[in-house]
Amino acid sequence: MPINWKNYDSGNAWDELVTASGRARNGARAVLAQLAKESESELIERQRSAELAIRSMGITFTVYDGSETIDREWPFDIVPRIIRRKEWDEVTKGLVQRVNALNLFINDVYNDQNCLRDEIVPADYVLKSKDYRAQCKGITPPHKVWSHICGSDLVRDGDGRFFVLEDNLRVPSGVSYMLENREVLKRTFPELFRNQEILPIDDYPAQLAAMLASLSERSNPEIVVLTPGIHNSAYFEHSYLAQAMGAELVEGSDLIVGHDDCVYMRTIEGLIRVDVIYRRIDDAFLDPDVFEKESVLGVPGLIKAWRKGNVALANAPGCGVADDKVIYTYVPDLIRYYLKEEPLLNNVPSYRCVVKEERDYVLENIESLVVKPANESGGYGMLIGPKASKKECDAFRRHIRANPRNYMAQPMLTLSTAPTLFDGHAEPRHLDLRPFILSGESRYVTTGGLTRVAMRKGSIVVNSSQGGGSKDTWVINQ
Amino acid sequence: MNRQTLSKTAERAYWLGRYLERAENTARLLANESDLAFELGRSDDEGWHRLLTITGSADAFADSYDVPSRRNVIKYMTTDATNPSSIVATLHAARENARTIREVMPVVTFEYVNDLWRESKSSLSGNLSARRLASALREQRERTEQLEGFLSANMLHDAPWNFLRIGCFLERADMTSRIIDNGVVGVRQLDLVSQQVRLRGALKAMTALQNYSAEVGQPISRAGVLKFLLGSTSLPRSVTRCVNSLRRSLGDLPRHDKAMKTVNSLRRKLAQEDASELAGPELSAYIDEIQQMIGITHNAISDTYFHFKPRLRRASRSPKKTAKKEIT
């Protein structure tokens, strides 16, 4: 039986394509109609051919399974998520504002520390953060930018308003999947694209290359992508971006720092100087001379070369100091402080466990809250109160009392949903959105971003390492 | 921005070329020996033992097996994981190299090499009848040839491609010299019928029987086969042809002077010394020399491109003035 949208019910969640009364939202009409035109078996066939395309295009992500790494095919749903351009333009402004403030904050932390003196953010939170790197003091990178590539996670609440859930300032991944999702959908469901004005997304690699080039003063600078190697979960993306930019994909062992404190790579031409490194290695592993002594992924002398301005690192080491879920709660204040503007995008309301009254509230109401550690990514180490057992809640109470600085909590949001296909049926599934913001000489925001879907019914965990899927994301000119 | 080729990438492409070629050649050798054993009506193990000798693995073989029987040698050379030159181990090594240079290859290459490895592993395992062995080996060879064709048609013909080709030609030249060793040396001691079977076998192992008739004509003679397999400028697998093709790929690479010197001396030796009338022991020595020169060429390529020792500038020079290219 074809899909009947009247029977589609997303409960109290705001659905991206279907209104509460089962009508198409503005901009989604053609897509819903096309989907309803196809039989169940036709839709199953579409989904299968998308999976085939993903296989033949080699779109994988790597998971570590206790003993070995496995390449899994990227999970993808053929129903696109649709956003109208007018709305997206507003989001874009909010994202740029946010990342500008965060970059000014990081630069301030490593230089004048005005925000600490003016007590905008408690100094301890910053200076005792495990991501604060004293080795970065006194450095001002080109354009005063530290986080050149930022991936901010957006969600909508039950009323359809966008909120920022977190900012990934260190080494955010996912952009290659955003690009590939569009390719896969075009191949497997070209009918959806008929009579639509969908804004293109494929200028990202060129924008990334231009941004990276703007970090060097040399003309035609040599750019490389530094990967921890084949076993990293995002290796596909490292390889993809290097290929798309025409940059070399290097590992630490391909680079060497000379006596002149410049960085070189070993090539068949001999040693060639490197000007900009897009590093996809955690900063703790970048340079065994300075950080982790045991690191075999890094390059001895790299930080010295960077401090001297002989090579640009994107993102700059030390930028993780702002990628902390407790610092996140201060971002609206940072926007007001540095930019003298009101935030255009809202934070999700948050409780800081380090503040007594807020901590008491969290301990009291933990069953209804989402508790997050300050410094984890990938959805690890967090508690989803409404879904947790009493034992788990008690364990988190103990963690919070023992180390309040390390936790913050947010009310459980009803994330928005979009129709997702299961055996040819459309069911609502929760999702989020990760746009990418590039900051160099100028600013660029991806058109839309990577939409991640929690494939299990009712789940809000969208991470691909934990069974999340994805969708093509359209910004349409309407 | 013009992508540079990393030493590591070049080395992996080179070994990918060598391993793919090696697996194909091992399949050719085995298929040929299996064939010969029938034609000569031989029931002893002499031919199988000779295979171990020409691939230089008799000693390693003796560590794990008592007798070089058909069954043992086939197992050792096809699926034995302890033998790094077995077909399956070689394809696995090819797979690992393909896996780590995905960014310079057409995207489906890795999947293709991966399938080749997996399928050879399953089709070559167990106790194989002559017929099943022949079809498994043929299948593997054809798939390797398809892959070569696919890469030739779709891969960017730039430096990694040239390294892949150089690896392939060097391996092929080496194997052809071994096939000559196996098929031609000692052939004079045999009766006429066996001589013909052996010489034809050497040609067949290189898919060159028909080509021989076209370029040299009948009947098949020892001198003719030697000239053809060593010196033909048109037979794809002759040593001379491999060296010429290698030369062209090397010529496209930067900094090739040192390696080119060794290639040129190999080429001169092939062109200037007529080996077709050499007697058994002299011929063996001649082929040894060719193989040594192939080894020296490998070393020259490795020293120039893969494992060169960096000479770094002293700090006294201003980094701003450092030329973008150069410094070794």
Side-chain angles (χ1 to χ4, degrees):
Chain A
M1 252 197 343
I3 298 169
N4 180 354
W5 294 109
K6 293 281 172 225
N7 299 334
Y8 175 88
D9 179 13
S10 63
N12 51 6
W14 194 89
D15 195 88
E16 301 281 341
L17 303 189
V18 187
T19 66
S21 56
R23 277 198 230 277
R25 274 194 203 288
N26 277 337
R29 183 156 312 143
V31 166
L32 294 191
Q34 179 67 38
L35 286 166
K37 229 164 54 188
E38 308 237 333
S39 71
E40 233 170 75
S41 61
E42 281 171 323
L43 289 175
I44 291 173
E45 189 47 44
R46 299 267 191 197
Q47 184 67 38
R48 195 171 304 141
S49 74
E51 278 149 26
L52 222 78
I54 285 168
R55 200 176 142 79
S56 77
M57 290 161 79
I59 312 170
T60 59
F61 70 106
T62 310
V63 284
Y64 188 71
D65 177 29
S67 58
E68 59 166 344
T69 51
I70 307 166
D71 281 351
R72 288 227 186 112
E73 271 118 48
W74 177 246
F76 174 74
D77 178 76
I78 57 174
V79 182
R81 182 233 196 110
I82 302 171
I83 304 171
R84 287 194 297 156
R85 183 183 191 158
K86 239 174 81 191
E87 184 177 23
W88 186 248
D89 286 344
E90 293 305 309
V91 172
T92 297
K93 282 181 208 152
L95 289 168
V96 168
Q97 176 194 52
R98 201 171 165 93
V99 174
N100 282 345
L102 283 163
N103 273 313
L104 289 171
F105 168 66
I106 304 169
N107 202 54
D108 190 18
V109 163
Y110 290 116
N111 287 285
D112 305 336
Q113 302 194 338
N114 291 328
C115 64
L116 306 185
R117 205 169 309 113
D118 293 342
E119 297 179 352
I120 305 300
V121 181
D124 265 10
Y125 294 6
V126 174
L127 303 179
K128 287 186 180 161
S129 159
K130 80 174 166 62
D131 290 304
Y132 173 76
R133 308 251 178 256
Q135 296 87 344
C136 299
K137 271 202 300 205
I139 301 286
T140 297
H143 318 298
K144 293 190 185 167
V145 170
W146 291 71
S147 182
H148 309 89
I149 301 109
C150 171
S152 292
D153 291 345
L154 301 177
V155 294
R156 288 195 208 251
D157 68 358
D159 299 325
R161 285 175 306 183
F162 271 117
F163 288 86
V164 179
L165 193 60
E166 61 186 52
D167 306 287
N168 297 282
L169 299 166
R170 286 178 278 200
V171 281
S173 59
V175 76
S176 60
Y177 300 111
M178 171 191 92
L179 298 167
E180 293 283 52
N181 282 352
R182 176 68 51 90
E183 286 309 306
V184 171
L185 193 62
K186 270 192 206 158
R187 274 201 204 186
T188 53
F189 216 155
E191 293 84 351
L192 287 180
F193 290 78
R194 244 184 250 147
N195 305 322
Q196 300 270 14
E197 221 181 306
I198 305 161
L199 300 186
I201 54 174
D202 55 7
D203 61 337
Y204 181 80
Q207 294 283 350
L208 176 64
M211 183 280 287
L212 292 170
S214 81
L215 306 182
S216 172
E217 283 174 9
R218 289 158 42 106
S219 64
N220 197 14
E222 191 64 52
I223 299 171
V224 301
V225 177
L226 176 60
T227 173
I230 189 102
H231 299 297
N232 186 272
S233 64
Y235 182 78
F236 167 83
E237 175 155 308
H238 307 162
S239 173
Y240 180 97
L241 291 175
Q243 208 168 10
M245 289 193 292
E248 293 78 19
L249 180 65
V250 304
E251 294 174 30
S253 57
D254 297 314
L255 299 181
I256 184 167
V257 178
H259 301 295
D260 54 4
D261 292 321
C262 291
V263 181
Y264 298 90
M265 62 178 163
R266 299 161 169 278
T267 78
I268 59 165
E269 308 260 3
L271 295 183
I272 292 183
R273 179 155 169 207
V274 172
D275 301 300
V276 182
I277 301 176
Y278 177 20
R279 54 103 176 180
R280 296 293 299 252
I281 296 185
D282 230 44
D283 51 17
F285 300 103
L286 273 179
D287 182 349
D289 283 358
V290 179
F291 303 126
E292 289 281 333
K293 304 276 175 285
E294 304 298 312
S295 170
V296 288
L297 304 175
V299 187
L302 182 57
I303 294 298
K304 195 171 171 202
W306 173 71
R307 287 185 60 99
K308 283 190 153 185
N310 290 339
V311 71
L313 288 172
N315 293 348
C319 68
V321 74
D323 184 345
D324 172 310
K325 303 212 168 50
V326 176
I327 299 295
Y328 158 88
T329 63
Y330 291 94
V331 173
D333 302 326
L334 295 174
I335 291 172
R336 292 182 195 103
Y337 180 69
Y338 290 111
L339 305 176
K340 316 274 181 282
E341 293 170 7
E342 276 305 304
L344 300 170
L345 270 174
N346 289 320
N347 263 17
V348 175
S350 308
Y351 305 96
R352 303 159 185 157
C353 295
V354 73
V355 179
K356 181 161 184 324
E357 303 83 66
E358 300 185 27
R359 176 169 67 244
D360 289 345
Y361 178 84
V362 171
L363 293 171
E364 196 71 16
N365 297 284
I366 200 161
E367 287 85 0
S368 64
L369 297 171
V370 177
V371 184
K372 296 177 176 178
N375 268 310
E376 292 284 344
S377 61
Y380 290 105
M382 63 183 215
L383 176 87
I384 299 176
K387 316 235 150 162
S389 66
K390 179 162 186 323
K391 214 172 133 197
E392 287 167 319
C393 290
D394 286 342
F396 261 79
R397 285 196 177 94
R398 281 196 302 279
H399 296 329
I400 293 170
R401 285 200 189 94
N403 190 359
R405 158 69 181 90
N406 201 33
Y407 292 94
M408 59 87 95
Q410 294 168 337
M412 172 104 170
L413 290 181
T414 309
L415 301 194
S416 63
T417 57
T420 304
L421 294 182
F422 294 89
D423 289 331
H425 294 285
E427 292 182 28
R429 286 294 182 270
H430 295 296
L431 37 75
D432 78 350
L433 177 63
R434 177 177 287 184
F436 295 85
I437 305 101
L438 300 179
S439 310
E441 199 170 27
S442 54
R443 306 288 181 266
Y444 170 83
V445 179
T446 48
T447 310
L450 174 65
T451 291
R452 300 183 299 174
V453 191
M455 297 301 272
R456 264 178 300 131
K457 193 171 183 172
S459 168
I460 55 166
V461 180
V462 296
N463 307 83
S464 49
S465 52
Q466 300 191 40
S470 71
K471 284 172 171 295
D472 188 18
T473 308
W474 294 1
V475 174
I476 56 166
N477 218 350
Q478 193 184 334
Chain B
M1 198 166 31
N2 198 348
R3 188 169 65 192
Q4 310 290 343
T5 300
L6 296 171
S7 298
K8 176 190 71 190
T9 307
E11 187 177 17
R12 287 171 180 170
Y14 171 84
W15 282 109
L16 174 61
R18 279 201 85 146
Y19 286 133
L20 285 174
E21 181 67 24
R22 187 175 297 175
E24 185 191 331
N25 288 332
T26 308
R28 283 171 179 274
L29 279 179
L30 282 170
N32 186 46
E33 189 53 45
S34 188
D35 236 34
L36 276 182
F38 278 115
E39 287 202 47
L40 293 168
R42 230 178 27 217
S43 54
D44 60 52
D45 297 333
E46 192 228 317
W48 295 105
H49 186 247
R50 211 173 40 225
L51 273 193
L52 296 172
T53 319
I54 65 166
T55 53
S57 48
D59 289 348
F61 175 86
D63 289 343
S64 348
Y65 300 83
D66 336 327
V67 285
S69 62
R70 170 184 184 273
R71 191 178 161 177
N72 282 348
V73 173
I74 288 174
K75 176 160 190 272
Y76 181 73
M77 292 182 72
T78 55
T79 55
D80 192 334
T82 65
N83 172 16
S85 328
S86 73
I87 289 176
V88 171
T90 308
L91 288 176
H92 185 260
R95 170 189 187 267
E96 286 309 293
N97 283 286
R99 190 165 124 86
T100 43
I101 51 170
R102 278 196 273 194
E103 73 281 2
V104 299
M105 314 278 288
V107 282
V108 297
T109 309
F110 171 69
E111 202 179 328
Y112 202 102
V113 178
N114 193 34
D115 286 350
L116 181 61
W117 165 65
R118 279 208 323 244
E119 277 159 34
S120 297
K121 197 161 111 177
S122 81
S123 70
L124 288 169
S125 61
N127 193 4
L128 297 176
S129 68
R131 195 172 56 85
R132 272 192 51 209
L133 175 70
S135 89
L137 292 173
R138 193 180 331 109
E139 170 93 345
Q140 180 215 324
R141 215 186 71 199
E142 283 170 4
R143 291 181 63 113
T144 312
E145 284 168 354
Q146 276 170 22
L147 175 59
E148 283 166 8
F150 168 79
L151 289 174
S152 174
N154 294 292
M155 189 174 168
L156 208 53
H157 286 200
D158 60 355
W161 164 251
N162 282 317
F163 279 102
L164 187 91
R165 302 261 291 175
I166 288 171
C168 165
F169 291 130
L170 215 50
E171 184 71 27
R172 189 177 288 176
D174 183 68
M175 188 56 80
T176 298
S177 74
R178 288 169 196 272
I179 286 173
I180 295 169
D181 218 353
N182 181 37
V184 183
V185 173
V187 86
R188 276 175 176 162
Q189 280 106 46
L190 303 174
D191 62 73
L192 269 177
V193 175
S194 301
Q195 269 192 31
Q196 282 295 306
V197 170
R198 187 76 78 72
L199 292 173
R200 222 174 34 242
L203 292 172
K204 266 165 77 180
M206 298 172 43
T207 329
L209 194 54
Q210 191 188 345
N211 295 329
Y212 184 89
S213 304
E215 191 168 296
V216 188
Q218 294 289 352
I220 298 172
S221 69
R222 179 183 182 274
V225 169
L226 269 177
K227 252 197 186 124
F228 190 48
L229 297 189
L230 280 169
S232 167
T233 53
S234 49
L235 177 70
R237 308 187 77 85
S238 86
V239 179
T240 294
R241 178 76 193 181
C242 288
V243 170
N244 287 346
S245 304
L246 188 156
R247 231 177 137 257
R248 257 198 305 281
S249 280
L250 186 61
D252 283 347
L253 293 174
R255 307 192 304 138
H256 57 234
D257 294 0
K258 188 174 157 211
M260 195 59 97
K261 246 185 218 157
T262 72
V263 175
N264 283 339
S265 57
L266 179 53
R267 192 160 169 249
R268 267 199 308 279
K269 181 162 187 72
L270 286 163
Q272 290 167 4
E273 290 179 35
D274 182 5
S276 62
E277 295 303 330
L278 291 179
E282 287 81 30
L283 180 59
S284 259
Y286 178 85
I287 287 170
D288 273 356
E289 244 180 290
I290 300 271
Q291 289 176 354
Q292 274 167 23
M293 292 172 89
I294 289 172
I296 293 169
T297 305
H298 162 80
N299 290 342
I301 288 168
S302 176
D303 291 348
T304 306
Y305 299 113
F306 312 151
H307 299 288
F308 60 89
K309 210 169 153 4
R311 285 213 324 264
L312 295 166
R313 278 170 197 275
R314 306 306 309 181
S316 54
R317 294 198 201 165
S318 158
K320 293 274 183 248
K321 287 182 194 144
T322 312
K324 186 169 170 190
K325 298 232 163 158
E326 205 267 311
I327 334 179
T328 26

